[in-house]
């Protein structure tokens, strides 16, 4: 199978861009899977800033990092990603967002269009030229369609000289499969 499912494709994009020593953002730590993946990519001298608004998510991310012996490479932040500028001062090479709710947890705690866009704006500002933001857009849950629509309206309006915006999605799958929006920064604003 040459065409990749959405998650392996998001990881491939991150792998291509992130170099040892980079600072990166996991905007939705969730179960910690991506935080660990990023911590491996940034190496000993790099750093991951991982955000989540739920204590359970921060705890399971901390456990996953400890199991992998990578806890020194990440800072876990119990706050909304829209406040990223208050925590991250360095240049960022890449960021990932897994939108929606955390499976197995409270389905009412979901990412929302306005704060997601605020976080993207702040990260774009700190992103290095050639850096990327990967959004994995889950939209089958209540509120998901609204978030997807606001996001699509927002990214379509980004000037192409500033950011390249691509989407990667299955066009013939049932039940609102997640899809990817990838942003690559082309120049300073
Ligand atoms: N839908 C994905 C998982 C998404 S997890 C899947 O099925 O794999 C999304 C995470 O974002 C949750 O853990 C939730 O607590 C977190 N979250 C919600 N709003 C947030 C915000 N403003 N800032 C940071 N994290 C947020």
């Amino acid at each position: 199978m040459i065409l990749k499912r959405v998650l392996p494709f998001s990881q491939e994009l991150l792998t291509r861009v992130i170099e040892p020593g980079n600072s990166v953002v996991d905007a939705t730590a969730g179960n910690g899977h991506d935080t660990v993946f990023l911590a491996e990519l940034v190496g000993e001298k790099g750093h991951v800033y991982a955000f989540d608004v739920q204590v359970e998510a921060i705890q399971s991310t901390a456990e996953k990092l400890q199991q992998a012996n990578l806890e020194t490479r990440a800072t876990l932040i119990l706050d909304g990603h829209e406040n990223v500028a208050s925590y991250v001062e360095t240049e960022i090479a890449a960021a990932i967002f897994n939108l929606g709710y955390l499976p197995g947890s409270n389905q009412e705690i979901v990412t929302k269009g306005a704060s997601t866009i605020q976080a993207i704006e702040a990260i774009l500002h700190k992103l290095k030229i050639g850096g990327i933001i990967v959004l994995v857009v889950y939209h089958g849950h209540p509120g998901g369609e609204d978030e997807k629509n606001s996001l699509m309206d927002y990214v379509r309006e980004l000037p192409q000289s500033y950011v390249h915006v691509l989407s990667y999605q299955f066009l013939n799958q049932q039940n609102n499969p997640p899809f990817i929006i990838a942003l690559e920064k082309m120049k300073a604003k």
Side-chain angles (χ1 to χ4, degrees), residues 18-117:
I18 297 170
E19 291 170 357
N22 283 164
S23 292
V24 302
V25 171
D26 185 349
T28 51
N31 59 28
H33 187 71
D34 281 333
T35 310
V36 170
F37 180 73
L38 292 171
E40 282 164 358
L41 288 180
V42 297
E44 274 176 31
K45 302 222 163 89
H47 207 72
V48 185
Y49 296 86
F51 291 81
D52 208 290
V53 291
Q54 294 190 75
V55 177
E56 302 91 281
I58 294 293
Q59 276 168 354
S60 47
T61 301
E63 281 163 24
K64 284 233 173 61
L65 285 165
Q66 271 156 17
Q67 283 159 13
N69 251 320
L70 293 170
E71 65 271 24
T72 55
R73 297 187 192 178
T75 302
L76 306 183
I77 300 153
L78 179 63
D79 197 357
H81 42 223
E82 58 276 18
N83 300 319
V84 59
S86 312
Y87 299 92
V88 184
E89 284 170 1
T90 50
E91 186 178 70
I92 296 168
I96 179 147
F97 291 71
N98 279 288
L99 303 180
Y101 63 87
L102 183 62
S105 179
N106 185 345
Q107 297 197 10
E108 281 167 19
I109 303 181
V110 292
T111 54
K112 301 220 168 72
S115 40
T116 301
I117 290 168

Side-chain angles (χ1 to χ4, degrees), residues 102-137:
L102 183 62
S105 179
N106 185 345
Q107 297 197 10
E108 281 167 19
I109 303 181
V110 292
T111 54
K112 301 220 168 72
S115 40
T116 301
I117 290 168
Q118 214 180 318
I120 296 170
E121 283 276 290
I123 292 170
L124 271 177
H125 189 67
K126 294 200 172 302
L127 201 63
K128 71 173 189 185
I129 312 290
I132 58 165
I133 302 176
V134 178
L135 306 160
V136 185
V137 186

Side-chain angles (χ1 to χ4, degrees), residues 112-180:
K112 301 220 168 72
S115 40
T116 301
I117 290 168
Q118 214 180 318
I120 296 170
E121 283 276 290
I123 292 170
L124 271 177
H125 189 67
K126 294 200 172 302
L127 201 63
K128 71 173 189 185
I129 312 290
I132 58 165
I133 302 176
V134 178
L135 306 160
V136 185
V137 186
Y138 290 78
H139 54 103
H141 57 282
E145 194 67 15
D146 284 349
E147 180 176 34
K148 181 188 96 174
N149 291 334
S150 340
L151 265 181
M152 292 305 276
D153 289 346
Y154 165 72
V155 296
R156 282 198 182 104
E157 295 296 320
L158 286 167
Q160 69 180 54
S161 58
Y162 175 44
V163 192
H164 284 181
V165 182
L166 278 102
S167 93
Y168 183 80
Q169 62 189 124
F170 283 98
L171 296 177
N172 66 337
Q173 277 189 351
Q174 308 296 311
N175 302 324
N176 308 307
F179 68 95
I180 287 178

